[in-house]
Amino acid sequence: MTISARPIHQEDTVDYAEALERYEPVMGLEVHVELNTATKMFCGCATGFGADPNTQTCPVCLGLPGALPVVNKAAVESAIRIGLALNCQIAPWCRFARKNYFYPDMPKNFQTSQYDEPIAFDGWLEVEVPASEAGEAFTYRVEIERAHMEEDTGKSTHVGGATGRIHGADYSLVDFNRAGIPLIEIVTKPLTGAGDRAPEVAKAYVAALRDLLKALDVSEVKMEQGNVRCDANVSLMPKGSDTFGTRTETKNVNSLRSVERAVRYEITRHAAILDAGEKVFQETRHWHEDTGITTAGRPKSDADDYRYFPEPDLVPVAPSPEDVERLRGTLPEPPAQRRKRLQEEWGYSDLEMRDVVNAGAVEVIEETVAAGASPAAARKWWTGDLARRANTDGVAVTELGVTPAHIAELDGLVREGRLNDSMARQVMEGVVAGEGGPTQVADARGLELVQDDGALQAAVDKVIAANPDVVEKIQGGKVQAAGALIGQVMKEMRGQADAAKARELILATLGVEG
Ligand code: ADP
Ligand code: MG
Ligand code: ZN
């Protein structure tokens, strides 16, 4: 039996820039989000990750005869909040549907999903696409087709083969702990007009969606653990045409970088097929992170017939307008807006804010400023010394045992003149080493700027007397030569002096204007 006639040259690609001269890409992004509810979509089983196989199951999620599902209210509320945050309409009445197909890790032989009656539809999300080699930053409005509720499948493990895939395996194991975990699938309308920036739009959209889901606190949003998975549909049409080409659907892309790369790769592959006068084969594709290519999955026609029909064992979901408005009241400030507001409040430059966002330090800086530190000090610690330390130790910056209150306390010690910068660093080392809070560490290590001006003046006099050549330079107008003297004064004071004060005193003693 021949399932498909594959074009022989389908794995050729053309140069990306060349492809974009002749074709306009169209994308459709389907994102599956695993919710963070305590229990499953249709039963009371726990959803925790990492439990022993098949310990979080019951007759409902195992699909045993006669078992009756009940909808998880918390999951429906999360779905509505996601829909509202995506500017969608919320259906006043909708049903679940059975999507019928066989797969060994799906014990009911159908997935309970939604079909033509999604809980949320017709929305949009404005996405900021950052500047890149390809051009300026810009805003792209992603139109959302729908967001619907469904359940996850179980997990198969294929044992014995070299690849971990079913082909070549000796036997397969199935774990149903994941079966029935609530999923929301968010589907975009076809995205057009992004031109050569299409792969960047795809990445920026998934990133913006992830930030939004995190702010909503509806999912763990760990892409590497599969909490957020993206299927990327791509097609090309000749420039000037408005008839969409045949799409391919690259499945389960699970990092932001991969979303961009997979879309880019498919554009170059489709272009080669169309250039050769051949037809793109409508199918799913597998993304290969290591080689950066996709390979054929299964043929997929738009007419695939899952024999959808309304789920007879579940009552319809009918949120009242009051419920919807109550949930709208729980929406967080949109992440992009929040970042802009905080940047202004903190007085950071665009570059500084980008570093803070990339370091994932927005929340911790917010807490640190709230605890009383200056925004500048909060940024310096969390994206500087502490970030480096966390990186070396291979932990998150928030796992170093340093709290926002510690930073605020340390910043206070610097501002009241007890510590200079290098002393503050030593104190921080002590805090990271578990020696206690900043004041405690400073006390224990005897770190304190010498406030006794007499001692500082004596050190200044001694250094001036020992360096007549430098003194001559300074008095001849080379004020920057004072740096050498400051260094020596600091040494005399065993580091426990305020460098700015030492400089002032040196110049005053020499009768030179700073
Ligand atoms: P499927 O059942 O195949 O997953 P969906 O409707 O769930 O279908 O998702 C298809 C996605 O592909 C949607 O985001 C849709 O906007 C997009 N899409 C549809 N046609 C095309 C096309 N010709 N090129 C690119 N994307 C497309
Ligand atoms: Mg789909
Ligand atoms: Zn169960």
Side-chain angles (χ1 to χ4, degrees), residues 15-29:
D15 177 70
Y16 182 72
E18 253 178 59
L20 269 297
E21 275 164 28
R22 294 190 284 279
Y23 303 103
E24 175 66 30
V26 177
M27 295 186 294
L29 300 168

Side-chain angles (χ1 to χ4, degrees), residues 40 46-48 50-57 154 175-181:
K40 292 186 180 181
T47 53
D52 282 343
N54 298 306
T55 55
Q56 296 174 345
T57 58
D175 174 11
F176 291 112
N177 285 352
R178 200 179 66 182
I181 294 205

Side-chain angles (χ1 to χ4, degrees), residues 11 59 71 75 208 260 311 316 324 371 401 457 478:
E11 302 301 333
V71 176
E260 178 174 357
E311 166 61 58
V324 173
Q457 184 68 59
K478 281 197 162 180

Side-chain angles (χ1 to χ4, degrees), residues 29-274:
L29 300 168
E30 301 171 60
V31 175
H32 285 91
V33 184
E34 231 175 51
L35 297 181
N36 60 0
T37 51
T39 57
K40 292 186 180 181
M41 189 75 218
F42 304 113
C43 62
C45 288
T47 53
F49 186 78
D52 282 343
N54 298 306
T55 55
Q56 296 174 345
T57 58
C58 74
V60 172
C61 55
L62 288 175
L64 301 187
L68 285 175
V70 177
V71 176
N72 180 337
K73 186 176 173 205
V76 174
E77 294 198 340
S78 290
I80 293 174
R81 291 177 73 236
I82 291 170
L84 290 172
L86 291 170
N87 306 292
C88 288
Q89 313 274 331
I90 303 301
W93 191 93
C94 64
R95 283 177 296 190
F96 286 93
R98 290 190 180 185
K99 181 180 184 182
N100 297 283
Y101 63 104
F102 169 80
Y103 207 78
D105 59 22
M106 199 178 59
K108 296 184 296 189
N109 279 350
F110 61 84
Q111 180 189 32
T112 307
S113 181
Q114 292 195 286
Y115 182 46
D116 49 359
E117 297 169 353
I119 180 110
F121 52 93
D122 277 350
W124 50 267
L125 182 65
E126 214 137 77
V127 172
E128 318 246 342
V129 184
S132 72
E133 284 162 18
E136 300 277 286
F138 64 103
T139 305
Y140 186 98
R141 184 175 150 121
V142 172
E143 301 289 338
I144 306 290
E145 168 93 36
R146 64 175 195 270
H148 71 245
M149 301 179 281
E150 57 184 38
E151 58 178 337
D152 214 340
T153 57
K155 189 175 186 304
S156 304
T157 306
H158 306 296
V159 184
T163 59
R165 293 190 187 253
I166 195 164
H167 302 283
D170 295 327
Y171 59 92
S172 298
L173 299 168
V174 187
D175 174 11
F176 291 112
N177 285 352
R178 200 179 66 182
I181 294 205
L183 291 183
I184 304 296
E185 179 174 345
I186 301 162
V187 183
T188 69
K189 294 189 174 155
L191 308 177
T192 57
D196 65 337
R197 308 294 293 273
E200 293 171 71
V201 166
K203 178 186 178 186
Y205 165 66
V206 179
L209 195 54
R210 187 198 54 181
D211 290 350
L212 186 64
L213 294 163
K214 181 154 189 253
L216 285 164
D217 192 23
V218 292
S219 168
E220 296 296 315
V221 298
K222 295 201 176 104
M223 287 192 83
E224 68 283 3
Q225 281 182 22
N227 297 143
V228 177
R229 323 191 274 263
C230 177
D231 300 342
N233 294 268
V234 174
S235 68
L236 295 184
M237 52 189 182
K239 276 242 159 107
S241 160
D242 54 9
T243 310
F244 293 170
T246 303
R247 68 184 158 115
T248 52
E249 180 180 347
T250 304
K251 304 290 283 183
N252 290 327
V253 188
N254 69 350
S255 79
L256 294 178
R257 186 165 166 263
S258 296
V259 170
E260 178 174 357
R261 290 172 76 206
V263 169
R264 181 178 290 264
Y265 176 80
E266 279 297 281
I267 290 173
T268 62
R269 194 181 67 84
H270 283 216
I273 297 168
L274 298 175

Side-chain angles (χ1 to χ4, degrees), residues 312-385:
D313 287 343
L314 287 168
V315 293
V317 174
S320 70
E322 294 75 36
D323 282 341
V324 173
E325 287 320 302
R326 177 179 56 79
L327 292 169
R328 198 190 297 279
T330 69
L331 295 187
E333 183 182 11
Q337 190 178 316
R338 177 174 131 83
R339 276 201 292 273
K340 262 190 210 128
R341 174 177 61 78
L342 290 174
Q343 183 181 347
E344 249 166 56
E345 278 175 26
W346 294 341
Y348 293 174
S349 69
D350 289 351
L351 202 69
E352 287 169 346
M353 193 64 192
R354 205 179 66 197
D355 284 348
V356 165
V357 170
N358 288 346
V362 176
E363 277 76 28
V364 80
I365 289 180
E366 202 176 19
E367 288 169 32
T368 306
V369 172
S374 72
R379 183 183 62 77
K380 199 187 75 184
W381 285 113
W382 290 115
T383 64
D385 281 15

